[in-house]
Amino acid sequence: MPLNDEQPTSTSSGEDQGSDVESSSERCDSMTLASDLDCSRESFSSDCSSKHCTPSSSPPKTLTLDEVMDAGRDLFNLSLSHEIVVNQSFRMELNTIPQDSLGKMVRDNLHKAFWDILEAELNDDPPEYGQAIKLLEEIREILLSFLNPGANRMRTQIMEVLDMDLIRQQADNDAVDIQGLASYIITTMGKMCAPLRDEEIKKLRESTLNIVALFREIFRVLDLMKADIVNITIEQLRPVLQRHSVEYERATFQRILDKTPSALDHTTSWIKSSLEELQSATVPKEQANGDGKRQQVVPGPFQVINVAFLRILTGDFFKGPLPETLATDETRLLEIHWQLQQCQAVNEVLLIVYSTVGGPIQGLPSLSDRLKRMISVLLDGMHRPDFNIQESLEGISAQICCELNKSLTERNYPALTPALQATLTGQICSITQKDNPIRTLVEDRVQLYVMALLSDPKSQLKLEQVPAGLTAIKPELALLGTKFVSLVNYNKSVYGPFYADIIRKLLFSNSPPAAGFPQDTAQDSVTHN
């Protein structure tokens, strides 16, 4: 059953919904188109001439711990740079450990032990400053890390005031002005912090807490400032990363592949399943060439990869291992997948309503909009494992019947009969069945729409051209289509050479191709939206 959480907001045409159900049994076969052999060898850009971009792999070998660690670092860097580039709102946040978790309990106990020791030492007579000196030394290093390379004056001042050798001598003579050092630290933090932390600095200055509690607050604000510094750095790096992201991500993934040759196993299986689907489609397997001889029709590489991406969006790929080349976008793809499934379910219910009730509710955009919002709200979160879809559809049916009866009586039409309401409820609840004709119709036409976007270099021009029967979710489809095509195009630009190499091996593993793939870069053949 479709799973999603998109919240549609637009109106739809009842006439389109009602008339389209008459063709609910038709299936669309245009996804099974095949190209000839020459076309398949000339239609996929691979950038194979570039030394840095040509994918390569090594024979299986035993990895050392250092190689595993290096590959892990490369993967982390790849994921981080990708997130910075594609997610404009990406920010580093302080680590938040779930409440009542073992990790939080351990961390809190360790922190409490540290501060308890500090408090006990400072309350001794005479005071002990061992923990306090460690604390001040850590604060000094944090403050120094905030400075720009040219801030020599501030650096010198911090080193003079927080001179650890001097502070240790003072501690030996019980002459440490711990309160004065705390005041200097707070003042220095005020000079370095971002404007949004001014209120926090003000609270520290006006604090009446004891010295231990004050230092705890100082560390809390320092953690916030560290996050601010990281986020400022991210904003400064983003334009640079955006200019070089494709080359960087491709080169980084190649390093991972060099160290772990199995890093494309799931990607190969994903592309292979797409190729096999096209080859087994109901199209003639052979065609005559100019000499009267017959040769096998081979799917074009672009067709293979587009069908593969389509299956990621509309299939069940999230139930198993995701292709390695999509790992950095797993969350975004899963969110789009959920939203699309919910949009389809909303559209299916609306089609059933308008085909069952017919004329009395046609041509009422406000009614269609109310029904759409209501269905969307009640289907929100339907991707969750604990969501009871059958119960939800029964509730939707009851709400729809109430809304329709209200609308009909207001316009002097007779209310729905109990038999018609039962029929409507049964049809709505039946969309959970995979062979339901309405569900099949909607899913087929959504696939046609998505494939049209993937296949057209100027996909923006086709965003509004939704197939008949999908008018109710047109705005939502256009938004989801934009997001999905943007992710796909960027992914192709990064991993296009790897895909080309995999497809070449799958297509021509038995016999060498007569012509190679073109040597253009992958970026030339896709547009990063």
Side-chain angles (χ1 to χ4, degrees):
M1 181 57 208
L3 305 175
N4 192 349
D5 59 3
E6 175 71 5
Q7 302 268 346
T9 58
S10 69
T11 60
S12 60
S13 169
E15 291 84 348
D16 175 69
Q17 294 162 336
S19 62
D20 189 72
V21 180
E22 298 175 0
S23 60
S24 63
S25 61
E26 64 182 74
R27 298 302 299 266
C28 302
D29 299 322
S30 61
M31 303 301 301
T32 60
L33 298 176
S35 62
D36 59 26
L37 183 61
D38 292 335
C39 178
S40 71
R41 290 171 175 159
E42 297 175 359
S43 61
F44 198 65
S45 300
S46 64
D47 196 17
C48 295
S49 62
S50 172
K51 177 181 178 181
H52 300 289
C53 299
T54 301
S56 62
S57 59
S58 306
K61 63 178 181 178
T62 302
L63 298 178
T64 65
L65 179 59
D66 288 341
E67 288 174 325
V68 173
M69 296 297 291
D70 288 343
R73 281 191 291 271
D74 285 336
L75 182 59
F76 174 80
N77 292 336
L78 175 63
S79 301
L80 180 60
S81 64
H82 182 79
E83 195 67 27
I84 292 173
V85 169
V86 303
N87 184 0
Q88 297 296 317
S89 60
F90 174 74
R91 291 176 59 84
M92 283 290 188
E93 303 291 345
L94 293 178
N95 287 331
T96 55
I97 304 178
Q99 293 291 333
D100 302 325
S101 65
L102 178 61
K104 187 175 188 305
M105 292 173 59
V106 172
R107 187 195 67 175
D108 291 348
N109 286 334
L110 288 174
H111 286 187
K112 184 177 184 301
F114 175 86
W115 295 112
D116 286 347
I117 293 172
L118 176 62
E119 186 170 17
E121 288 186 351
L122 293 180
N123 287 335
D124 281 349
D125 190 14
E128 292 288 336
Y129 293 100
Q131 291 288 91
I133 290 175
K134 293 178 183 178
L135 195 71
L136 292 170
E137 191 169 11
E138 184 174 351
I139 290 175
R140 184 185 70 175
E141 295 307 313
I142 293 174
L143 293 177
L144 291 175
S145 71
F146 291 160
L147 296 176
N148 293 323
N152 296 324
R153 182 177 177 183
M154 178 73 77
R155 188 182 306 276
T156 301
Q157 185 186 74
I158 292 174
M159 294 295 293
E160 289 177 353
V161 176
L162 297 177
D163 185 336
M164 291 300 110
D165 292 333
L166 177 61
I167 292 175
R168 288 189 182 93
Q169 294 177 13
Q170 293 173 341
D172 292 339
N173 296 287
D174 191 18
V176 177
D177 182 8
I178 196 74
Q179 191 68 51
L181 291 174
S183 297
Y184 170 77
I185 291 169
I186 294 171
T187 300
T188 305
M189 289 168 61
K191 296 176 182 178
M192 296 178 170
C193 71
L196 77 161
R197 304 302 176 198
D198 287 345
E199 190 63 29
E200 296 283 357
I201 299 298
K202 181 180 178 182
K203 291 179 181 178
L204 291 178
R205 287 196 179 107
E206 298 173 353
S207 174
T208 58
L209 299 171
N210 64 56
I211 191 63
V212 174
L214 180 60
F215 269 107
R216 292 189 71 163
E217 285 299 297
I218 287 174
F219 262 91
R220 183 184 65 81
V221 177
L222 283 173
D223 284 341
L224 295 175
M225 292 174 62
K226 284 190 283 187
D228 294 338
I229 293 294
V230 170
N231 289 323
I232 290 172
T233 304
I234 288 174
E235 291 301 319
Q236 293 172 341
L237 285 176
R238 180 171 282 119
V240 178
L241 286 175
Q242 288 173 335
R243 288 195 296 270
H244 305 285
S245 59
V246 171
E247 294 82 358
Y248 173 77
E249 290 188 34
R250 188 184 298 160
T252 303
F253 188 82
Q254 181 63 63
R255 288 199 300 272
I256 295 173
L257 187 60
D258 292 339
K259 296 166 186 172
T260 54
S262 62
L264 280 174
D265 285 358
H266 296 313
T267 302
T268 301
S269 298
W270 166 55
I271 295 176
K272 183 179 180 182
S273 66
S274 171
L275 176 61
E276 290 174 348
E277 177 185 343
L278 288 170
Q279 289 176 332
S280 63
T282 55
V283 295
K285 299 298 182 193
E286 296 181 345
Q287 65 180 18
N289 58 21
D291 300 328
K293 300 180 180 179
R294 303 184 70 83
Q295 62 180 5
Q296 185 179 8
V297 176
V298 180
F302 272 122
Q303 186 185 9
V304 172
I305 200 65
N306 286 340
V307 169
F309 275 109
L310 180 66
R311 293 297 168 254
I312 286 289
L313 182 63
T314 61
D316 296 326
F317 270 89
F318 291 103
K319 295 181 179 179
L322 202 66
E324 296 87 351
T325 55
L326 301 179
T328 52
D329 286 316
E330 180 175 4
T331 301
R332 279 174 286 273
L333 290 170
L334 189 57
E335 185 69 21
I336 295 173
H337 173 73
W338 286 339
Q339 292 174 353
L340 180 62
Q341 298 305 311
Q342 185 179 345
C343 282
Q344 291 179 173
V346 170
N347 197 82
E348 290 159 14
V349 173
L350 288 173
L351 284 175
I352 290 172
V353 169
Y354 278 88
S355 64
T356 302
V357 180
I361 60 171
Q362 300 287 350
L364 299 173
S366 59
L367 174 62
S368 176
D369 191 45
R370 287 200 306 274
L371 293 176
K372 179 181 173 181
R373 288 198 305 268
M374 179 190 68
I375 298 167
S376 299
V377 170
L378 294 177
L379 289 178
D380 187 33
M382 59 185 292
H383 61 274
R384 298 195 305 265
D386 60 344
F387 189 89
N388 190 327
I389 185 64
Q390 199 67 32
E391 182 179 311
S392 179
L393 289 175
E394 290 174 0
I396 287 172
S397 302
Q399 292 279 359
I400 287 175
C401 289
C402 290
E403 190 70 30
L404 292 180
N405 284 334
K406 179 182 176 182
S407 176
L408 290 170
T409 54
E410 286 177 352
R411 293 178 292 112
N412 298 321
Y413 281 98
L416 300 178
T417 64
L420 186 57
Q421 293 186 41
T423 299
L424 186 60
T425 300
Q427 291 185 3
I428 290 175
C429 292
S430 70
I431 65 172
T432 58
Q433 303 169 8
K434 286 193 174 182
D435 60 350
N436 179 275
I438 299 295
R439 176 175 173 176
T440 299
L441 172 70
V442 172
E443 290 178 350
D444 284 350
R445 295 195 176 180
V446 166
Q447 290 185 29
L448 282 177
Y449 175 75
V450 175
M451 181 55 83
L453 296 181
L454 293 176
S455 303
D456 196 326
K458 298 181 179 179
S459 58
Q460 299 90 341
L461 302 178
K462 292 194 172 183
L463 288 172
E464 301 294 324
Q465 301 175 16
V466 300
L470 302 182
T471 307
I473 56 172
K474 177 179 177 179
E476 291 73 33
L477 280 182
L479 179 60
L480 293 176
T482 300
K483 292 180 180 179
F484 183 65
V485 171
S486 178
L487 288 177
V488 169
N489 285 344
Y490 184 77
N491 184 275
K492 287 179 180 178
S493 67
V494 174
Y495 299 104
F498 300 96
Y499 296 150
D501 188 59
I502 292 171
I503 294 173
R504 183 187 296 109
K505 290 176 182 177
L506 292 173
L507 286 175
F508 310 117
S509 57
N510 295 327
S511 59
F517 290 101
Q519 304 300 307
D520 301 327
T521 63
Q523 275 183 288
D524 293 336
S525 60
V526 293
T527 303
H528 179 206
N529 296 336

